[in-house]
Amino acid sequence: ELKVEQNPLFLSMQEGKNYTIYCNYSTTSDRLYWYRQDPGKSLESLFVLLSNGAVKQEGRLMASLDTKARLSTLHITAAVHDLSATYFCAPKGNFNKFYFGSGTKLNVKP
Amino acid sequence: KAGVTQTPRYLIKTRGQQVTLSCSPISGHRSVSWYQQTPGQGLQFLFEYFSETQRNKGNFPGRFSGRQFSNSRSEMNVSTLELGDSALYLCASSSGGGGDGYTFGSGTRLTVV
């Protein structure tokens, strides 16, 4: 079964700073999603990465995928308080099933 | 277009009771997956239904069951509730083919007392 490891699990950062969340997974996967979850709310899809070297950017968030290293990153540029949330990566495993990491709880302090 | 609808949003049940949760996927989506989310265990996959058939199953006891109707709506049932079943239950819909991602519903918050 595909195992997913995200780190860090908790991230507290100041506004204006940059940081990267890492998502490692154990077996080959041909696509990976990043989701955002606000407290008490559901998960919202941010990015889908479909191939090795794929890079997607939206606002201050940029996601990338290295399928050979089985690694995806979510880079935050010049963080703002509105980005405070929990972020999940989810690579696709067999039988169209997605496996979720433990999530990274991001707190951006003003 | 309408999103994924889960009902009820909140539920309080007593140990030993049973509960049924409902999920209506996005129109045209044939796959419905269910996840349990708790602070300690994170997001855990329960099962997936596609065209009225269970296609994938997670590692949950038999007290957890589900079904899907011909209109793709899905229900999840938990019998003999335990305190540890308290969680946010999320339903996710997808077209079901090719590994396209999920659209999640707002979830049902179940509290077992």
Side-chain angles (χ1 to χ4, degrees):
Chain A
E1 182 170 285
L2 196 155
K3 303 290 184 190
V4 185
E5 186 177 311
Q6 272 183 249
N7 67 81
L9 297 182
F10 299 94
L11 179 55
S12 184
M13 56 193 296
Q14 295 290 136
E15 279 193 328
K17 298 292 186 182
N18 305 332
Y19 211 83
T20 300
I21 298 170
Y22 296 88
C23 172
N24 291 273
Y25 52 96
S26 60
T27 62
T28 303
S29 175
D30 64 1
R31 64 185 58 205
L32 183 144
Y33 280 78
W34 282 93
Y35 289 88
R36 167 183 172 145
Q37 186 177 35
D38 291 297
K41 301 290 180 70
S42 189
L43 278 76
E44 173 193 355
S45 176
L46 293 173
F47 301 108
V48 55
L49 301 166
L50 298 176
S51 60
N52 187 43
V55 176
K56 293 278 185 75
Q57 182 163 5
E58 172 115 10
R60 300 173 189 274
L61 299 177
M62 183 173 74
S64 66
L65 178 63
D66 182 342
T67 57
K68 292 176 183 170
R70 296 177 194 153
L71 169 69
S72 180
T73 61
L74 181 66
H75 186 73
I76 303 152
T77 302
V80 293
H81 181 67
D82 284 353
L83 290 179
S84 296
T86 300
Y87 294 86
F88 294 90
C89 65
K92 182 177 80 71
N94 291 332
F95 309 110
N96 293 330
K97 182 178 161 187
F98 286 86
Y99 293 80
F100 285 82
S102 301
T104 296
K105 186 170 183 178
L106 172 65
N107 179 32
V108 181
K109 295 182 284 189
Chain B
K1 81 185 173 183
V4 181
T5 303
Q6 286 189 252
T7 57
R9 289 295 307 278
Y10 302 93
L11 208 47
I12 300 175
K13 289 286 189 178
T14 304
R15 269 183 305 175
Q17 286 187 312
Q18 74 164 16
V19 67
T20 299
L21 313 181
S22 178
C23 172
S24 293
I26 289 172
S27 178
H29 282 189
R30 295 163 64 192
S31 168
V32 173
S33 297
W34 289 89
Y35 284 82
Q36 181 196 66
Q37 188 177 32
T38 59
Q41 300 295 320
L43 272 162
Q44 295 192 88
F45 174 76
L46 282 153
F47 28 66
E48 181 208 6
Y49 285 87
F50 178 80
S51 293
E52 301 179 65
T53 301
Q54 188 180 83
R55 189 161 71 168
N56 281 307
K57 188 177 188 305
N59 297 323
F60 277 79
R63 300 186 296 108
F64 292 81
S65 63
R67 59 178 176 168
Q68 188 179 33
F69 302 95
S70 59
N71 62 357
S72 294
R73 188 177 73 86
S74 176
E75 286 183 347
M76 189 191 104
N77 184 273
V78 188
S79 62
T80 321
L81 283 165
E82 300 176 0
L83 295 179
D85 297 333
S86 295
L88 178 66
Y89 290 88
L90 290 164
C91 157
S93 95
S94 73
S95 66
D100 54 322
Y102 298 148
T103 300
F104 281 88
S106 300
T108 294
R109 172 77 61 186
L110 171 65
T111 302
V112 182
V113 298

